Amino acid sequence: MSEQSPAETALLTQQLESPDLRDRMVALASLRHVPADVALPLIKKVLNDESLQLRSMAVFALGIKVTPESYPILIDILANDPDYGIRADAAGALGYLEDIRAFEALVRAFYEDTDWLVRFSAAVSLGNLKDPRAFDLLMRALDSPEILLQQAAIAALGEIKAVSAVDRLVLFIESENWMVRQRLAEALGQLPTPKSISALKYLTKDSHPHVSAAAIICLQRLEDKEDPK
């Protein structure tokens, strides 16, 4: 990542203050090439922008441009922003940070936020943290009527290596939603048990090509671990 000259930083600052939304969006997107310590004050300029799309981009950027300030800013947005989409973005960005301090805030968001999208992002990020303390929460999320929340919980249980969840997870093997079955295959690929292998063998014959392909790859991964060359 190249050093940013004062002139380049000044130009980005000017663009981020432009009345033209397109200018602000282009400038924010350009920050991916800028060191985190230089990018952060520029990102902060648009965190309260009138455009929700731009705000969403800025929140996401905080999860990529990691500085000591990123975490507390995201925690505050997750707890207090009035827009559920922005709160969901903050929950997702906390997962990108992979900062274990976010565990309690994400759990609180899952249980207390009234919008399922925020709860979905919190569940995904809890998987990203790979903290086994999320087990009970994720098992509860499996019972959600929201299919996307079920998918997030299945994937996250794989991420936290919750082998004890396999008996519950395999109940999704006949789900009508192929994306649930794909997430199941991917999760089972991280949970080495005889039941996981049996379920993956079944899923290799799934009618949806994405599911069968995922099952084949994950089954091979488990079998390679069982029989290392």
Side-chain angles (χ1 to χ4, degrees):
M1 190 174 293
S2 61
E3 288 294 322
Q4 193 79 359
S5 73
E8 290 170 323
T9 302
L11 177 60
L12 285 172
T13 299
Q14 183 181 354
Q15 289 177 313
L16 288 167
E17 294 172 350
S18 168
D20 188 320
L21 174 58
R22 186 177 180 280
D23 287 344
R24 303 199 301 277
M25 293 184 73
V26 169
L28 185 60
S30 299
L31 295 183
R32 65 180 179 273
H33 303 301
V34 176
D37 60 332
V38 178
L40 184 76
L42 299 173
I43 293 168
K44 287 165 69 175
K45 283 183 171 294
V46 290
L47 278 176
N48 295 306
D49 197 89
E50 62 186 23
S51 165
L52 280 177
Q53 184 180 2
L54 191 66
R55 291 187 66 208
S56 176
M57 290 172 61
V59 171
F60 176 78
L62 287 174
I64 305 300
K65 298 296 182 180
V66 182
T67 74
E69 272 194 89
S70 303
Y71 171 79
I73 292 172
L74 288 170
I75 290 292
D76 180 67
I77 293 170
L78 175 60
N80 299 310
D81 200 278
D83 187 270
Y84 72 87
I86 300 298
R87 296 197 305 277
D89 291 331
L94 285 166
Y96 279 107
L97 285 184
E98 296 185 353
D99 188 326
I100 200 64
R101 292 178 298 167
F103 179 82
E104 286 80 8
L106 290 168
V107 168
R108 189 160 53 250
F110 178 85
Y111 283 120
E112 296 179 5
D113 203 284
T114 55
D115 193 90
W116 73 267
L117 185 60
V118 181
R119 300 176 73 224
F120 165 80
S121 290
V124 171
S125 287
L126 286 166
N128 291 342
L129 295 185
K130 298 178 173 58
D131 190 322
R133 291 179 295 168
F135 178 81
D136 289 341
L137 177 154
L138 295 171
M139 291 294 283
R140 174 176 171 174
L142 292 177
D143 295 323
S144 170
E146 295 288 348
I147 296 293
L148 281 174
L149 200 49
Q150 292 177 8
Q151 291 178 37
I154 291 168
L157 285 164
E159 292 282 355
I160 69 170
K161 304 295 190 288
V163 172
S164 59
V166 169
D167 284 351
R168 179 73 176 83
L169 289 175
V170 296
L171 299 179
F172 288 91
I173 203 166
E174 300 290 355
S175 170
E176 294 181 1
N177 187 292
W178 69 265
M179 287 183 287
V180 169
R181 302 196 304 276
Q182 182 179 353
R183 294 291 172 270
L184 174 62
E186 292 163 351
L188 292 174
Q190 302 180 76
L191 305 172
T193 73
K195 186 166 283 190
S196 300
I197 291 173
S198 176
L200 282 169
K201 286 179 177 176
Y202 181 86
L203 289 169
T204 61
K205 302 178 178 65
D206 195 272
S207 60
H208 197 286
H210 289 353
V211 179
S212 57
I216 290 166
I217 292 168
C218 293
L219 180 62
Q220 187 64 55
R221 184 186 304 147
L222 286 187
E223 290 177 340
D224 288 347
K225 286 181 180 177
E226 279 196 335
D227 183 28
K229 295 289 190 289

Coordinates of all heavy atoms in Angstrom, one line a residue, residues 88-151:
A88 N -26.9 -3.1 11.1 CA -26.5 -4.4 10.5 C -25.1 -4.3 9.9 O -24.2 -5.3 10.1 CB -27.5 -4.9 9.5
D89 N -24.8 -3.2 9.2 CA -23.5 -3.0 8.7 C -22.4 -3.0 9.7 O -21.3 -3.5 9.6 CB -23.4 -1.7 7.9 CG -24.2 -1.8 6.6 OD1 -24.4 -2.9 6.0 OD2 -24.7 -0.7 6.2
A90 N -22.7 -2.3 10.9 CA -21.8 -2.2 12.0 C -21.5 -3.6 12.6 O -20.3 -4.0 12.9 CB -22.3 -1.3 13.0
A91 N -22.5 -4.4 12.7 CA -22.4 -5.8 13.2 C -21.5 -6.6 12.3 O -20.6 -7.3 12.7 CB -23.7 -6.5 13.4
G92 N -21.7 -6.4 11.0 CA -20.9 -7.2 10.0 C -19.4 -6.7 10.0 O -18.5 -7.5 10.0
A93 N -19.2 -5.4 10.2 CA -17.9 -4.8 10.2 C -17.1 -5.3 11.4 O -15.9 -5.5 11.4 CB -17.9 -3.3 10.1
L94 N -17.8 -5.5 12.5 CA -17.1 -6.0 13.7 C -16.6 -7.4 13.5 O -15.6 -7.8 14.1 CB -18.1 -5.9 14.9 CG -18.3 -4.5 15.5 CD1 -19.6 -4.5 16.4 CD2 -17.1 -4.0 16.3
G95 N -17.3 -8.2 12.7 CA -16.8 -9.5 12.4 C -15.6 -9.4 11.6 O -14.6 -10.2 11.8
Y96 N -15.5 -8.5 10.7 CA -14.3 -8.3 9.9 C -13.1 -7.9 10.7 O -11.9 -8.3 10.5 CB -14.4 -7.2 8.8 CG -15.2 -7.7 7.6 CD1 -16.5 -7.3 7.3 CD2 -14.5 -8.6 6.6 CE1 -17.1 -7.8 6.2 CE2 -15.2 -9.0 5.5 CZ -16.5 -8.6 5.3 OH -17.2 -9.1 4.2
L97 N -13.3 -7.1 11.8 CA -12.3 -6.8 12.7 C -11.7 -8.0 13.4 O -10.5 -8.0 13.8 CB -12.8 -5.7 13.7 CG -13.0 -4.3 13.3 CD1 -13.4 -3.5 14.5 CD2 -11.8 -3.7 12.6
E98 N -12.6 -9.0 13.7 CA -12.2 -10.2 14.4 C -11.6 -9.8 15.8 O -10.6 -10.4 16.3 CB -11.2 -11.0 13.6 CG -11.8 -11.6 12.3 CD -10.9 -12.5 11.6 OE1 -9.7 -12.7 12.0 OE2 -11.3 -13.1 10.6
D99 N -12.2 -8.8 16.4 CA -11.8 -8.3 17.7 C -12.7 -9.0 18.8 O -13.9 -8.7 18.8 CB -11.9 -6.8 17.8 CG -11.3 -6.2 19.1 OD1 -11.4 -6.9 20.1 OD2 -10.8 -5.1 19.0
I100 N -12.1 -9.8 19.6 CA -12.9 -10.6 20.5 C -13.7 -9.8 21.5 O -14.7 -10.2 22.1 CB -12.0 -11.6 21.3 CG1 -12.8 -12.8 21.9 CG2 -11.2 -10.9 22.4 CD1 -13.5 -13.6 20.8
R101 N -13.3 -8.5 21.7 CA -14.0 -7.6 22.6 C -15.4 -7.4 22.1 O -16.3 -6.9 22.9 CB -13.3 -6.2 22.7 CG -11.9 -6.3 23.4 CD -11.3 -4.9 23.4 NE -11.0 -4.4 22.0 CZ -10.7 -3.2 21.7 NH1 -10.7 -2.2 22.6 NH2 -10.5 -2.8 20.4
A102 N -15.7 -7.6 20.8 CA -17.0 -7.4 20.3 C -18.0 -8.4 20.7 O -19.2 -8.3 20.4 CB -16.9 -7.3 18.7
F103 N -17.6 -9.5 21.3 CA -18.5 -10.6 21.6 C -19.7 -10.2 22.3 O -20.9 -10.5 21.9 CB -17.7 -11.7 22.4 CG -18.6 -12.9 22.7 CD1 -18.8 -13.9 21.8 CD2 -19.2 -13.0 24.0 CE1 -19.6 -15.0 22.1 CE2 -20.0 -14.1 24.3 CZ -20.2 -15.1 23.4
E104 N -19.6 -9.5 23.4 CA -20.8 -9.2 24.2 C -21.7 -8.2 23.5 O -22.9 -8.4 23.6 CB -20.3 -8.5 25.5 CG -19.7 -9.5 26.6 CD -18.3 -9.8 26.3 OE1 -17.7 -9.2 25.4 OE2 -17.8 -10.7 27.0
A105 N -21.1 -7.3 22.7 CA -22.0 -6.4 22.0 C -22.8 -7.1 20.9 O -23.9 -6.8 20.6 CB -21.1 -5.3 21.4
L106 N -22.2 -8.1 20.3 CA -22.8 -8.8 19.2 C -23.9 -9.7 19.8 O -25.0 -9.9 19.2 CB -21.8 -9.7 18.4 CG -20.9 -8.8 17.5 CD1 -19.7 -9.7 17.0 CD2 -21.6 -8.2 16.4
V107 N -23.6 -10.3 21.0 CA -24.7 -11.1 21.6 C -25.8 -10.2 22.0 O -27.0 -10.6 21.8 CB -24.1 -11.8 22.9 CG1 -25.2 -12.4 23.8 CG2 -23.1 -12.9 22.5
R108 N -25.6 -9.1 22.6 CA -26.6 -8.1 22.9 C -27.5 -7.7 21.7 O -28.7 -7.7 21.8 CB -26.0 -6.9 23.6 CG -27.0 -6.0 24.3 CD -26.4 -5.1 25.3 NE -25.2 -4.4 24.8 CZ -24.0 -4.6 25.1 NH1 -23.7 -5.6 26.0 NH2 -23.0 -3.9 24.6
A109 N -26.8 -7.5 20.6 CA -27.5 -7.1 19.4 C -28.4 -8.3 18.9 O -29.6 -8.1 18.5 CB -26.5 -6.7 18.3
F110 N -27.9 -9.5 19.0 CA -28.7 -10.6 18.6 C -30.0 -10.8 19.4 O -31.0 -11.0 18.9 CB -27.9 -11.9 18.7 CG -28.7 -13.1 18.3 CD1 -28.8 -13.5 17.0 CD2 -29.4 -13.9 19.2 CE1 -29.5 -14.6 16.6 CE2 -30.1 -15.0 18.9 CZ -30.2 -15.3 17.6
Y111 N -29.8 -10.6 20.7 CA -31.0 -10.8 21.6 C -31.9 -9.6 21.7 O -33.1 -9.8 21.9 CB -30.5 -11.2 23.0 CG -30.1 -12.6 23.1 CD1 -28.8 -13.0 23.5 CD2 -30.9 -13.7 22.9 CE1 -28.3 -14.3 23.6 CE2 -30.5 -15.0 23.0 CZ -29.2 -15.3 23.4 OH -28.8 -16.6 23.5
E112 N -31.4 -8.4 21.6 CA -32.2 -7.2 21.9 C -32.6 -6.4 20.6 O -33.6 -5.7 20.7 CB -31.4 -6.3 22.8 CG -31.1 -7.0 24.1 CD -30.3 -6.1 25.1 OE1 -30.0 -4.9 24.7 OE2 -29.9 -6.5 26.2
D113 N -31.9 -6.5 19.5 CA -32.3 -5.7 18.4 C -33.6 -6.3 17.8 O -33.8 -7.5 17.7 CB -31.2 -5.7 17.3 CG -31.3 -4.5 16.4 OD1 -32.2 -4.5 15.5 OD2 -30.5 -3.6 16.6
T114 N -34.5 -5.4 17.4 CA -35.8 -5.8 16.9 C -35.8 -6.2 15.4 O -36.8 -6.8 15.0 CB -36.8 -4.7 17.1 OG1 -36.3 -3.5 16.5 CG2 -37.0 -4.4 18.6
D115 N -34.7 -5.9 14.7 CA -34.7 -6.2 13.3 C -33.9 -7.5 13.0 O -32.7 -7.6 13.5 CB -34.1 -5.1 12.5 CG -34.3 -5.2 11.0 OD1 -35.4 -4.7 10.6 OD2 -33.5 -5.9 10.4
W116 N -34.4 -8.4 12.2 CA -33.8 -9.7 12.0 C -32.5 -9.5 11.2 O -31.6 -10.3 11.3 CB -34.7 -10.6 11.2 CG -35.0 -10.3 9.8 CD1 -36.0 -9.5 9.3 CD2 -34.1 -10.7 8.7 NE1 -35.8 -9.4 7.9 CE2 -34.7 -10.1 7.5 CE3 -33.0 -11.5 8.6 CZ2 -34.2 -10.3 6.3 CZ3 -32.5 -11.6 7.3 CH2 -33.0 -11.1 6.2
L117 N -32.4 -8.5 10.4 CA -31.2 -8.3 9.6 C -30.0 -8.0 10.5 O -28.9 -8.5 10.3 CB -31.3 -7.1 8.6 CG -30.2 -6.9 7.6 CD1 -29.9 -8.1 6.8 CD2 -30.4 -5.7 6.7
V118 N -30.2 -7.2 11.6 CA -29.1 -6.9 12.5 C -28.8 -8.2 13.2 O -27.6 -8.5 13.5 CB -29.6 -5.9 13.6 CG1 -28.5 -5.6 14.6 CG2 -30.0 -4.6 12.8
R119 N -29.8 -9.0 13.6 CA -29.5 -10.3 14.3 C -28.8 -11.2 13.4 O -27.9 -12.0 13.8 CB -30.8 -10.9 14.7 CG -31.6 -10.0 15.7 CD -33.0 -10.6 16.1 NE -32.8 -11.7 17.0 CZ -33.5 -12.8 16.9 NH1 -34.3 -13.0 15.9 NH2 -33.3 -13.8 17.7
F120 N -29.1 -11.2 12.1 CA -28.4 -12.0 11.1 C -26.9 -11.6 11.0 O -26.0 -12.5 11.1 CB -29.0 -11.9 9.7 CG -28.2 -12.3 8.6 CD1 -28.1 -13.7 8.2 CD2 -27.5 -11.4 7.8 CE1 -27.3 -14.1 7.2 CE2 -26.7 -11.9 6.7 CZ -26.6 -13.2 6.4
S121 N -26.6 -10.3 10.9 CA -25.2 -9.9 10.9 C -24.5 -10.2 12.1 O -23.3 -10.6 12.1 CB -25.2 -8.4 10.6 OG -25.6 -8.1 9.3
A122 N -25.2 -10.1 13.3 CA -24.5 -10.4 14.5 C -24.1 -11.9 14.6 O -23.0 -12.3 15.0 CB -25.4 -10.1 15.7
A123 N -25.0 -12.8 14.1 CA -24.7 -14.2 14.1 C -23.6 -14.5 13.2 O -22.7 -15.3 13.6 CB -26.0 -15.0 13.7
V124 N -23.6 -13.9 12.0 CA -22.4 -14.2 11.1 C -21.1 -13.7 11.8 O -20.1 -14.4 11.7 CB -22.7 -13.4 9.8 CG1 -21.4 -13.4 8.9 CG2 -23.8 -14.0 9.0
S125 N -21.1 -12.6 12.4 CA -19.9 -12.0 13.0 C -19.5 -12.9 14.2 O -18.3 -13.0 14.4 CB -20.1 -10.6 13.4 OG -20.1 -9.8 12.2
L126 N -20.4 -13.4 14.9 CA -20.0 -14.3 16.0 C -19.3 -15.5 15.5 O -18.4 -16.0 16.1 CB -21.3 -14.7 16.8 CG -21.8 -13.6 17.7 CD1 -23.2 -14.0 18.2 CD2 -20.9 -13.3 18.9
G127 N -19.7 -16.0 14.3 CA -18.9 -17.0 13.7 C -17.5 -16.6 13.3 O -16.5 -17.3 13.5
N128 N -17.4 -15.4 12.8 CA -16.1 -14.8 12.4 C -15.2 -14.7 13.6 O -14.0 -14.9 13.5 CB -16.3 -13.4 11.8 CG -16.9 -13.5 10.4 OD1 -17.0 -14.5 9.8 ND2 -17.4 -12.4 10.0
L129 N -15.7 -14.5 14.8 CA -14.9 -14.4 16.0 C -14.4 -15.7 16.5 O -13.5 -15.8 17.2 CB -15.7 -13.7 17.1 CG -16.1 -12.2 16.9 CD1 -16.8 -11.7 18.2 CD2 -14.9 -11.4 16.6
K130 N -15.1 -16.8 16.0 CA -14.7 -18.2 16.3 C -14.7 -18.4 17.8 O -13.8 -19.1 18.3 CB -13.4 -18.5 15.7 CG -13.5 -18.5 14.1 CD -12.1 -18.8 13.5 CE -12.3 -18.9 12.0 NZ -12.8 -17.7 11.3
D131 N -15.6 -17.8 18.6 CA -15.7 -17.9 20.0 C -16.7 -19.0 20.4 O -17.9 -18.8 20.1 CB -16.0 -16.6 20.6 CG -15.8 -16.6 22.1 OD1 -16.1 -17.6 22.8 OD2 -15.3 -15.5 22.7
P132 N -16.3 -20.1 21.1 CA -17.3 -21.1 21.4 C -18.3 -20.7 22.4 O -19.4 -21.4 22.5 CB -16.4 -22.2 22.0 CG -15.1 -21.5 22.4 CD -14.9 -20.4 21.5
R133 N -18.2 -19.5 23.0 CA -19.2 -19.0 23.9 C -20.5 -18.7 23.2 O -21.6 -18.6 23.8 CB -18.8 -17.8 24.6 CG -17.7 -18.0 25.7 CD -17.3 -16.7 26.3 NE -16.6 -15.8 25.3 CZ -16.4 -14.5 25.6 NH1 -16.7 -13.9 26.7 NH2 -15.8 -13.8 24.6
A134 N -20.4 -18.6 21.8 CA -21.6 -18.3 21.0 C -22.5 -19.5 20.8 O -23.6 -19.4 20.2 CB -21.2 -17.7 19.7
F135 N -22.1 -20.7 21.3 CA -22.8 -21.9 21.0 C -24.3 -21.8 21.3 O -25.2 -22.1 20.4 CB -22.2 -23.1 21.8 CG -22.9 -24.4 21.6 CD1 -22.7 -25.2 20.4 CD2 -23.8 -24.8 22.5 CE1 -23.3 -26.4 20.2 CE2 -24.5 -26.1 22.3 CZ -24.2 -26.8 21.2
D136 N -24.7 -21.5 22.5 CA -26.1 -21.5 22.9 C -26.9 -20.5 22.1 O -28.1 -20.8 21.6 CB -26.3 -21.1 24.4 CG -25.8 -22.3 25.3 OD1 -25.6 -23.4 24.8 OD2 -25.5 -22.0 26.5
L137 N -26.4 -19.4 21.8 CA -27.1 -18.4 21.0 C -27.3 -18.9 19.6 O -28.4 -18.8 19.0 CB -26.3 -17.1 21.0 CG -26.7 -15.9 20.1 CD1 -26.2 -14.6 20.7 CD2 -26.3 -16.0 18.6
L138 N -26.3 -19.5 19.0 CA -26.4 -20.0 17.6 C -27.4 -21.2 17.6 O -28.1 -21.3 16.6 CB -25.1 -20.4 17.1 CG -24.1 -19.2 17.0 CD1 -22.7 -19.7 16.6 CD2 -24.5 -18.2 15.9
M139 N -27.4 -22.0 18.6 CA -28.4 -23.1 18.6 C -29.8 -22.6 18.6 O -30.7 -23.1 18.0 CB -28.1 -24.0 19.8 CG -26.8 -24.8 19.7 SD -26.8 -26.0 18.3 CE -27.8 -27.3 19.1
R140 N -30.0 -21.5 19.4 CA -31.3 -20.9 19.4 C -31.7 -20.3 18.1 O -32.8 -20.4 17.6 CB -31.3 -19.8 20.5 CG -32.6 -18.9 20.5 CD -32.5 -17.9 21.7 NE -33.6 -17.0 21.6 CZ -33.9 -16.1 22.5 NH1 -33.2 -16.0 23.6 NH2 -34.9 -15.2 22.3
A141 N -30.7 -19.7 17.4 CA -30.9 -19.1 16.1 C -31.4 -20.1 15.0 O -32.0 -19.8 14.1 CB -29.7 -18.4 15.6
L142 N -31.0 -21.4 15.2 CA -31.4 -22.4 14.3 C -33.0 -22.6 14.3 O -33.5 -23.0 13.3 CB -30.8 -23.8 14.7 CG -29.3 -24.0 14.6 CD1 -28.9 -25.3 15.1 CD2 -28.9 -23.8 13.1
D143 N -33.6 -22.1 15.3 CA -35.1 -22.2 15.4 C -35.8 -21.0 14.9 O -37.0 -20.9 14.9 CB -35.5 -22.4 16.9 CG -35.0 -23.8 17.4 OD1 -35.0 -24.8 16.7 OD2 -34.7 -23.8 18.6
S144 N -35.0 -20.0 14.3 CA -35.6 -18.8 13.8 C -36.5 -19.1 12.6 O -36.2 -20.0 11.8 CB -34.5 -17.8 13.4 OG -35.1 -16.7 12.7
P145 N -37.6 -18.4 12.5 CA -38.4 -18.5 11.2 C -37.8 -17.9 10.0 O -38.2 -18.2 8.9 CB -39.7 -17.8 11.6 CG -39.3 -16.8 12.7 CD -38.2 -17.5 13.4
E146 N -36.7 -17.1 10.2 CA -36.0 -16.4 9.1 C -35.0 -17.4 8.6 O -34.0 -17.8 9.2 CB -35.4 -15.2 9.6 CG -36.3 -14.1 10.0 CD -37.1 -13.5 8.9 OE1 -36.7 -13.7 7.7 OE2 -38.0 -12.7 9.1
I147 N -35.1 -17.8 7.3 CA -34.2 -18.7 6.6 C -32.8 -18.2 6.7 O -31.8 -18.9 6.9 CB -34.7 -19.0 5.2 CG1 -36.0 -19.6 5.2 CG2 -33.6 -19.8 4.5 CD1 -36.1 -21.0 5.7
L148 N -32.6 -16.9 6.4 CA -31.2 -16.3 6.4 C -30.6 -16.4 7.8 O -29.4 -16.6 7.9 CB -31.3 -14.9 6.0 CG -31.4 -14.7 4.4 CD1 -31.5 -13.2 4.1 CD2 -30.2 -15.2 3.7
L149 N -31.4 -16.3 8.8 CA -30.8 -16.4 10.2 C -30.4 -17.9 10.5 O -29.4 -18.1 11.1 CB -31.8 -15.9 11.2 CG -31.3 -15.5 12.6 CD1 -30.1 -14.6 12.5 CD2 -32.4 -14.9 13.4
Q150 N -31.2 -18.8 10.0 CA -30.8 -20.2 10.1 C -29.5 -20.5 9.4 O -28.6 -21.2 9.9 CB -31.9 -21.1 9.5 CG -33.2 -21.2 10.2 CD -34.3 -22.0 9.5 OE1 -34.0 -22.7 8.5 NE2 -35.5 -22.0 10.0
Q151 N -29.4 -19.9 8.1 CA -28.1 -20.1 7.4 C -26.9 -19.5 8.2 O -25.9 -20.2 8.2 CB -28.2 -19.4 6.0 CG -29.2 -20.0 5.1 CD -29.3 -19.2 3.8 OE1 -28.3 -18.7 3.3 NE2 -30.5 -19.1 3.2

